[in-house]
Each structure stands twice: as C-alpha cells, then as structure tokens.
Amino acid sequence: MFRTALRNVLAHKARLLMTVLAVMLGVAFVSGTLVYTDTLSTAFRNSSQKSYDDIDVALSPQASDTVPGVRPEEPRLDAKLLDTVRHAPGAASATGIVNGPTGIADKSGELIGRGGNGSNYFPGKDGKDARYPMKEGAAPTRGDQFALDQDTAEKAGYHVGDTVRMSVDGPVREQKLTGIFTTDGSRGMSGGSLALFDTRTAQKLFGMPGGFSEIDVKAAPGTSQAALKQSIDKALPRDSGTLTTGKELADNQAEGNKTSMNTMRTALLAFAGVSLFVGIFIIANTFTMLISQRTKELALLRAVGASRRQVTRSVLLEALVVGTIAGASGMVAGIGIGAVLRTLGNGDGTALPDGPLQVTATTVLVSLGVGIAVTVLSAWLPGRRAAKIPPVAAMNSVHAAATTKSLVVRNTIGALFAGAGTAAVLVAISLDDGKNTSRYLMGLGGMLLLVGVFVLTPLLSRPLIALGGPVLRGFGISGLLARQNALRNPRRTAATASALMIGLTLITGMTVIAKGVETGINKVAASSLKADYSIAMSSEGQPLPSTAEKEVKGAAGVSAVSPMRKDMARVGAGGKGASEVIGVDGKTFGSLGNLDFTKGSLGSLHGDRVVVDSGTAGDHGLRTGSRFPVTFPDGKKADLTVSGIYNGNQMFNGIILDKDTLAAHQKRTTTQQLLVATDGGATDAHKEELVKALGKNPALTVSDKQDIADAVSKLFTILLNMLYGLLGMAVVVAVLGVVNTLAMSVFERSQEIGMLRAIGLDRLGIKRMVRLESLIISLFGGVLGVGLGVFLGWAVGKLIEGGLPTYELVLPWGELAVFLGLAGLVGVLAALWPALRAARLNMLEAIKAE
C-alpha cells in the first residue's frame, strides 16, 4: 500500500501542487515567525548581557512607599552617595548616570525619529568614558557642547563642528557638536537618538543639580557581584536606594524582552493559523476530488483483497508525503521570511540589536510537524470515505452520491452549530460587564458560527447561486452551464467558497470594528474639547518643557490656556488602588474642556472643589456635594467636595481639580498637555504663531481638532494595512484553492467538455463557462464572508461600547464593495489557467477519455 500511495502521488503531481503550495505558505508563516522572534530574542538577550558587562552593581533611587499604589516622588542620588559607593570595599570604580528625554532636530527643523534620550559623558581616570568611544571629535566639556550617536549623525547628515537644534526641558537649545560616538544602542536610546553632555550640564538640563539617575559600580578583580552588593549595602546609609546586580538587571531586561517577543509571536502565529485553517479546506477538497476520480481504482483494490483500513492508510500515506514536502519547503521559505522581517524591522527608525538568524531545532520540528499534521488530518475524512467504496462500484466506476440521510445529518449539525454560535454572541453582548467572560464567550460564539455556516454552505449555495441566474443568462449557454456546474456538486462548491469566506470574514469584521473605533475616538476629540489647540510632546508620556505654558500665554491671539497635570492619588480612608487626578486651571478650564455631566456641573473649580468621573463615583459611592478623603502623592491627606459627576472618556477621566491644589502636594510639577483657545478659532496663522512662540521646538506637537482626528485615522489606517497584509496570506491560499478545484473539475469533465466542443461550443465559450463558474463560486464565498464579517463586527462593537461610549457602528460601504470586488477578481484570476486548459483540450481525445 505504501508503493501504491507513492505511485499515486507521482501520478498526480500537478493536481497536488496547489495543495503543497497552500500548506507551504501557512508553514512558511509559522516558520518565519519562529525564526524572526527567536532571532530578536537571542539578539536582545545578548545585547542585555553586553550592555551590563561593565556593571556589577547598580544603585537606583528608592521610591517612597508612603501611599501604596500611588506614584511617588523619587529621591535623588547625590555626589556624597557616589563617593561612598566608590570607596566601598570591593569596588573598583563608580559612574554617576544622568538621563532625560532629548529630541534632536534635523536640518529642516523636524524631530529625528521618534524622539530620543540624553545622558552624561562620565570620564574615568584616563579621561574617557568606555561606554561611548568617540569615532570623531572629542567629548563635550562645556554647557554649549554635546556629542551625538553615529547612526543619528549619519541619518541627519551632521558633522563635528555643526550647530544642532535640540529640545530638552525648556526652550529650544542650540549646541555645538564636538564628537560622534559609537554605541550598541542597547541602553538609553530606546530606538531613537542619544545625545551626551558633560555631567554638570546634564544635571542642570534634566532638573537634578548635583544628583544622578543611577550609580553604576564595577567590582574589583576577585570580587563577585553578590559580595560587592553586600559590601555597598553595608556602606550606605539606610534607605539610600535600591541595589541590583548586573546579572539581575540583564535578566530583568531579558525577561521583559521575552514577554514582548512572546506577545508578538502569539499574534503572528494566530494569523498563520488562519492561513493553515483556510488550507485545510483546500487539502480536504483536493483529496475528496482525487478519490472521486479514482473510484474505480479504489474499488478494484477492495475487490482484490485490500481492507478498508489499508485503503484509508494509503490515502493518509499520500497526505504524509505531500505534508512532508510542504513542511520542508515551508520551513526553508520561512527562513527567508524571517530574514526579510529582520531587515524591515530596522527600516522604521527602530534600532534593533544585531545578531545572526536563529534556526532552532524547535523551528524545524514545528514546521515539519505542522505541515504533516495539517495535511494528514485534512485528508483523514476523505480517506474514510474512500474506504467505504464498495467493491461492486468497480463495475461502473460511479461512486454513490450523498444520501438524503447524510445531507439531513449535515444540515442539522450545521444548524445546531450556527444557532449555538449566534446565541453565544448575543449572550456575550447582553452579559458585557467589562470582564473577560463576555469576551471569551464572544470568541467561542464566533468560532461556532463560522463552523456552522461552513457546514451549511452546501445548503446555502443553491439559493444564493440561483440569485445570479438572471445575470448568467445574459452570457448565453456558457452562463447556463456555469451555473449548473457550480450547483452540480454543492459540497465541492462549498469547500472552495469557504476558504475565501474565512479570510473575508476576518478582514470585513476588523474593518467594521476599526472604523467604529476611529469614529468613536474622533467624536471624543470633537465633543470633549472646546479648545482650539492641544499641545503635547511628540513622544507620548513625556512632560512638556517647564517654560511651555508661559510661552503659549505670551503668543498673539491666545485667549485662554489651561495645563493638564496628571498624577495618582488614593481615594477613601481605607481604599485600595489609585485613581488618576488631573490638575487644570480652574478659571479657564470651563472654556476649554467640554465634560458630559450626569449630575452637577463644573461650577467653581478651586480649592477643595472637584469633579469626578462616573466610574470613580460609583466605586466610592460619591454624589454631588459629597466630601471624601484623598491621599496625595506626598502622603498627605485632604478632604475634597464633589461639584459634579461626568462620563469619563479617553480625554478626561478620574478626579479633576485646580492645578494649585494638586501642586501643593507635588515636589515637582510636570505638565502633560496644554489646552489653548484663540481669538476667532483655529487658523493656520494662529497655529504658526504658537509654533513660533514655542521656539519651533521639534519635540512639540501643536494639534487642532482636525489634526487629532487625522492622527487617529492614520493610526488605524496603519493598523488595518498591517492586518490586511497578514490576512492577505489567507486570501492567497484561498486563490490557490479555487485554482485547484477548477483545474481538477476541468480534468473530471474532460469528456463532457469534448462533447460540448463537438456539438458546436467554441473555445471562447468554454473559457467563458469556466470563468463564470469560478466567478460565481468566489462571489458566493465573498457574500458569505462580508455578511458574517459585518455581523461579527457589529457584535464585537457592542463590547467595545463598554469602554468607548462614543463607539458607533459604521458600515464602510466603499470598503465592503472593494471586498466583494476582490472576491470577484479572485474568481477571474483563479480561472485563467483552468479555462485555458479546458479550451485547449482535444475534443476527440476528450470524448474517448474515461
């Protein structure tokens, strides 16, 4: 039976080619994902170890734990502590580190990359800092000098001696570039630029005169990291900071990178799973058709003594050979995909550590295992059907059609799955309470619904394809034959269309969800702001320069300004967790923010008067007029009075109070955002005036409401394009399935096509018949996919409404039309080769064919 299986594979090479390609693409995605993530994980791990080679123990500020769950003020490490650490037993040297955000402008004044960091050049006894070897020029020694990393200098075209504009904390500075250094980019760069200042200048720029962000210690020969840590701990005053060994730092960073890589790997493998899932339909369809064409051969095998088990084993052996070939070729292709992804990862401004491609034994085994498992499992059901062929079928080579009982059973099972899936989706919507239960139920319901529709597809094919009858009649006899051929074998049509249906369901659903979220966030920006402009740092999360508010207030045309200063505080005497507090200018905020109040109003926002979002109010039983205790970041408590309760959103959430009330409990005030109103509303002239007032700071973004909406749209467009690219693999696999089905169908109907040619249907008519058949099958799958996608997109949107009340179902009619057009295009392209093959059949040889 093994020789029989091998002979059949060799005899049907062309027919199995598409199956091999379909499995190979899915395996290549899996293999490429594993190679890429393994390569990055190894590179990050090696980089982490390398970056901490010169650090045996690190001393970092010890955060105060006065208020659990509240972001504390960090005490500084000063020169006295540095000197204590340097002279601790077992310490060879100690380096004081100063870090802070620093944005470098290119020659056109635009921010380079996504922002960057600044640090200090800390020379040793030899006058050099071993961390940053100078490739050109010299290290900075004065307040108007700095050094720049080589990658950024090359990207911007800067050379030693150039004057460079940069943004630190305060007005835009112009510094003279004295040196260009090399670095592995593993510490302090975060994928952006790295600027070095002399230590005193760095301390001044980053708001810590005489202080350090961290102190790194190198051990003397023969002293272990653990021993040095213990020695320094004894030498330091109590609660001076947190000591960590270099190995612990490297391990912690490696663990964080590993978590990120695992998240990325899971996401990419999910899309690979979609491609393989679509490939299952193609494999099952191919083997079903092959077995149908070999009915006489298999029946003869049964007649000469082969058992059912042997026949099934023969089919599975064929699948094993095909799966092995597909798995091996997919693994090789995946190595190439991993290399391409590695190259693309360095092309978006992100500095990834270098390292060779990692092709592990796990990747090889998984690739081969996935290829073989998917193929063999997909061929199992056709193999069982083959074993049931009775020997008497050898008399006429016609296999029995599906019985009424089997069709009833199939439709019943499909209806049960589809009904259960729909019910689960609707229950998930009604149970939505912000917890994972409803999300898991939604996922389960979506899967059951997809499976149910797939099982019911043969039943659905007849009425839906029949709807295209009037259009097909316009193509004459070719259209009539195409319709009959599509309906002749509903199971085959269903399996072919289902592959395309899965891909379009996911693409449509994600598009509907993304459009709804985009609309919701745009509505938040439009409805929550009366301000004409919002000013923030380009790098998310970074505070604005301390001079920004004063500069904006002095700009021409500005009528009102309010900062937004965010912090955390604990609500209630014995409350757990923390709530966000936002400090604003109580005098101007009413004309800049637009809160949706459910009770009370903004009123006079000063002193102990605050407004609270409905979530916080519900958690703590607050009402308008309620007084409640709050523990601020400095550990001090105060009683606040609720003036109003509003619906929170992405712009405003938590406790909003006057900035002076919050500032009284902060050692250093930082502003995350400025809201600005101008005379006459937003205009290009006002925007230009604000940019000019801020010193054309490259790290600052001045946005009006349209800019905010455009930024959201751009973000979702990028995300959707990535998803389209990933799901495009599933569509490609579906195309291969249509090609495979049509090619085998043409082979099956060779005699019939010969007869059609003999009675007068020309080659053009044959081509048109095959193309129309492909088109109607693809459109059938497209209609199902778009319909299911819209339903699931609507259902998921209902869950999103819990976290985004402004979410709105938006049916992107243009995109939906494009998806249906794409389905039609798939049908047209997939039919090119089968149609040409059918038209070239010799009619006499075809009529004689068995």
Side-chain angles (χ1 to χ4, degrees):
M1 295 306 293
F2 177 77
R3 288 195 299 271
T4 301
L6 187 59
R7 184 201 67 189
N8 286 327
V9 171
L10 296 175
H12 302 109
K13 295 188 293 293
R15 301 183 214 175
L16 292 171
L17 176 62
M18 294 298 177
T19 300
V20 171
L21 287 175
V23 179
M24 185 195 76
L25 287 174
V27 172
F29 209 154
V30 173
S31 175
T33 296
L34 295 177
V35 169
Y36 178 58
T37 53
D38 284 342
T39 298
L40 283 189
S41 295
T42 302
F44 275 121
R45 183 171 62 252
N46 292 339
S47 177
S48 297
Q49 294 174 349
K50 182 179 178 181
S51 63
Y52 294 109
D53 279 348
D54 294 329
I55 302 175
D56 290 309
V57 175
L59 174 64
S60 56
Q62 184 175 15
S64 170
D65 58 358
T66 304
V67 184
V70 174
R71 188 183 68 201
E73 299 287 347
E74 293 185 346
R76 288 184 315 193
L77 307 176
D78 55 25
K80 184 177 180 181
L81 285 178
L82 175 63
D83 189 60
T84 301
V85 168
R86 179 183 289 124
H87 293 93
S93 62
T95 302
I97 310 297
V98 185
N99 287 324
T102 302
I104 305 295
D106 59 21
K107 292 184 177 180
S108 64
E110 299 296 326
L111 182 68
I112 297 177
R114 303 173 182 174
N117 278 357
S119 189
N120 64 317
Y121 188 86
F122 197 91
K125 295 179 180 179
D126 59 356
K128 297 180 181 180
D129 189 334
R131 301 171 299 164
Y132 308 113
M134 290 292 160
K135 184 179 180 182
E136 299 178 32
T141 57
R142 301 199 312 262
D144 61 345
Q145 299 176 344
F146 86 111
L148 188 61
D149 68 280
Q150 182 181 356
D151 290 341
T152 304
E154 290 178 353
K155 186 185 300 182
Y158 285 133
H159 303 281
V160 172
D162 288 346
T163 298
V164 179
R165 297 178 74 250
M166 64 179 64
S167 169
V168 195
D169 183 19
V172 175
R173 302 175 59 88
E174 292 190 349
Q175 302 276 126
K176 183 178 181 181
L177 181 60
T178 61
I180 296 175
F181 60 91
T182 59
T183 176
D184 59 9
S186 56
R187 296 191 71 203
M189 294 187 67
S190 302
S193 58
L194 179 60
L196 297 181
F197 307 92
D198 67 277
T199 298
R200 181 172 296 181
T201 300
Q203 290 172 330
K204 179 181 178 182
L205 290 176
F206 300 132
M208 51 181 74
F212 301 97
S213 309
E214 182 179 311
I215 296 176
D216 296 338
V217 191
K218 182 68 177 175
T223 303
S224 67
Q225 291 186 353
L228 178 60
K229 177 181 178 180
Q230 187 175 13
S231 172
I232 296 174
D233 188 37
K234 291 179 179 179
L236 287 174
R238 186 177 180 181
D239 297 331
S240 298
T242 301
L243 291 170
T244 313
T245 65
K247 184 179 183 305
E248 291 171 342
L249 290 172
D251 290 344
N252 291 339
Q253 190 177 81
E255 186 62 31
N257 292 332
K258 182 180 177 180
T259 301
S260 300
M261 289 299 104
N262 287 341
T263 302
M264 179 191 298
R265 177 179 298 179
T266 301
L268 292 175
L269 288 178
F271 287 102
V274 173
S275 298
L276 289 169
F277 184 60
V278 172
I280 288 174
F281 296 103
I282 299 174
I283 300 165
N285 210 18
T286 300
F287 277 94
T288 298
M289 295 176 71
L290 284 174
I291 289 167
S292 178
Q293 293 168 7
R294 289 159 46 200
T295 299
K296 185 174 181 178
E297 173 190 331
L298 294 172
L300 285 172
L301 284 174
R302 292 290 314 282
V304 297
S307 66
R308 287 188 175 186
R309 182 173 296 179
Q310 286 178 311
V311 171
T312 302
R313 191 180 303 151
S314 173
V315 175
L316 294 180
L317 284 172
E318 291 180 43
L320 176 64
V321 174
V322 172
T324 302
I325 295 172
S329 56
M331 181 194 66
V332 174
I335 295 174
I337 291 175
V340 171
L341 290 175
R342 179 69 178 82
T343 302
L344 293 176
N346 272 329
D348 64 349
T350 302
L352 298 177
D354 293 327
L357 282 180
Q358 299 294 314
V359 183
T360 64
T362 300
T363 299
V364 175
L365 293 176
V366 168
S367 300
L368 291 175
V370 167
I372 293 171
V374 168
T375 310
V376 171
L377 290 175
S378 302
W380 176 73
L381 187 57
R384 284 197 61 194
R385 289 176 183 164
K388 293 180 180 180
I389 297 176
V392 72
M395 301 298 295
N396 53 23
S397 75
V398 177
H399 186 39
T403 65
T404 303
K405 179 181 177 181
S406 68
L407 292 175
V408 170
V409 171
R410 176 180 180 130
N411 292 336
T412 301
I413 293 174
L416 289 174
F417 270 91
T422 304
V425 168
L426 296 177
V427 170
I429 294 173
S430 63
L431 287 180
D432 181 28
D433 53 3
K435 297 181 180 179
N436 289 329
T437 304
S438 56
R439 295 167 191 162
Y440 292 146
L441 190 58
M442 177 69 71
L444 176 62
M447 291 179 60
L448 290 175
L449 180 58
L450 278 175
V451 173
V453 172
F454 164 67
V455 176
L456 287 173
T457 307
L459 179 65
L460 298 173
S461 64
R462 291 188 178 277
L464 290 179
I465 291 178
L467 292 176
V471 178
L472 292 174
R473 288 194 193 101
F475 293 93
I477 189 65
S478 296
L480 180 61
L481 291 171
R483 177 177 176 275
Q484 291 177 346
N485 289 333
L487 294 174
R488 178 184 299 181
N489 191 333
R491 287 188 175 183
R492 179 190 303 169
T493 298
T496 305
S498 295
L500 188 59
M501 178 191 75
I502 298 296
L504 285 182
T505 296
L506 295 174
I507 290 175
T508 302
M510 289 181 176
T511 302
V512 170
I513 294 168
K515 291 296 182 182
V517 172
E518 180 182 340
T519 301
I521 293 179
N522 286 344
K523 290 174 71 174
V524 168
S527 62
S528 298
L529 286 180
K530 295 179 184 177
D532 297 312
Y533 296 99
S534 168
I535 300 175
M537 297 293 289
S538 300
S539 300
E540 187 176 354
Q542 295 292 346
L544 289 166
S546 56
T547 58
E549 184 177 352
K550 181 179 179 181
E551 291 167 347
V552 169
K553 286 182 177 179
V558 172
S559 58
V561 179
S562 174
M564 288 181 62
R565 298 171 180 170
K566 298 181 180 181
D567 217 313
M568 303 297 290
R570 193 176 67 191
V571 179
K576 297 181 179 179
S579 295
E580 185 175 67
V581 291
I582 303 176
V584 299
D585 188 329
K587 298 177 182 178
T588 61
F589 182 71
S591 62
L592 298 168
N594 189 26
L595 302 180
D596 178 20
F597 281 95
T598 58
K599 296 178 181 178
S601 63
L602 188 64
S604 178
L605 199 64
H606 69 278
D608 64 350
R609 309 291 294 184
V610 301
V611 292
V612 182
D613 72 287
S614 55
T616 303
D619 291 341
H620 300 282
L622 302 179
R623 301 178 181 179
T624 54
S626 297
R627 285 187 65 79
F628 64 99
V630 169
T631 305
F632 283 103
D634 60 354
K636 295 181 180 179
K637 296 182 180 181
D639 289 332
L640 302 178
T641 302
V642 179
S643 296
I645 298 174
Y646 68 96
N647 288 321
N649 54 45
Q650 281 66 32
M651 295 288 294
F652 301 107
N653 201 40
I655 302 171
I656 301 179
L657 70 169
D658 186 75
K659 60 183 177 65
D660 294 332
T661 303
L662 179 61
H665 299 281
Q666 293 178 306
K667 292 183 178 179
R668 184 185 181 195
T669 59
T670 56
T671 301
Q672 284 72 35
Q673 190 175 0
L674 285 175
L675 302 181
V676 183
T678 54
D679 298 328
T683 64
D684 291 340
H686 283 319
K687 186 173 183 178
E688 181 63 30
E689 187 66 32
L690 288 173
V691 171
K692 187 186 300 183
L694 291 166
K696 295 184 177 180
N697 193 319
L700 290 176
T701 301
V702 180
S703 306
D704 57 25
K705 293 180 183 179
Q706 188 59 49
D707 292 330
I708 295 173
D710 291 343
V712 172
S713 299
K714 182 179 179 181
L715 176 65
F716 278 97
T717 299
I718 293 172
L719 178 61
L720 272 181
N721 288 339
M722 291 175 60
L723 294 175
Y724 289 159
L726 293 170
L727 289 173
M729 186 75 73
V731 176
V732 171
V733 173
V735 173
L736 295 178
V738 179
V739 174
N740 206 22
T741 299
L742 287 175
M744 298 182 73
S745 179
V746 167
F747 177 83
E748 239 180 25
R749 306 198 314 255
S750 295
Q751 189 177 58
E752 175 187 319
I753 292 172
M755 290 295 295
L756 290 172
R757 289 291 315 283
I759 61 176
L761 189 61
D762 59 12
R763 290 186 174 182
L764 184 60
I766 294 293
K767 287 182 180 179
R768 187 181 298 120
M769 177 188 71
V770 176
R771 290 169 182 165
L772 289 174
E773 179 185 352
S774 174
L775 179 62
I776 196 169
I777 291 174
S778 296
L779 286 176
F780 169 55
V783 169
L784 287 180
V786 170
L788 278 174
V790 169
F791 174 74
L792 293 176
W794 164 79
V796 173
K798 287 294 184 181
L799 295 186
I800 294 175
E801 284 181 3
L804 182 62
T806 54
Y807 177 90
E808 179 182 331
L809 176 65
V810 177
L811 293 182
W813 296 108
E815 283 86 346
L816 297 183
V818 169
F819 297 155
L820 286 176
L822 176 64
L825 181 63
V826 165
V828 172
L829 294 178
L832 291 178
W833 178 62
L836 184 63
R837 188 171 183 268
R840 288 181 176 178
L841 286 176
N842 184 292
M843 68 177 72
L844 295 179
E845 292 181 359
I847 291 172
K848 293 189 299 180
E850 295 187 5

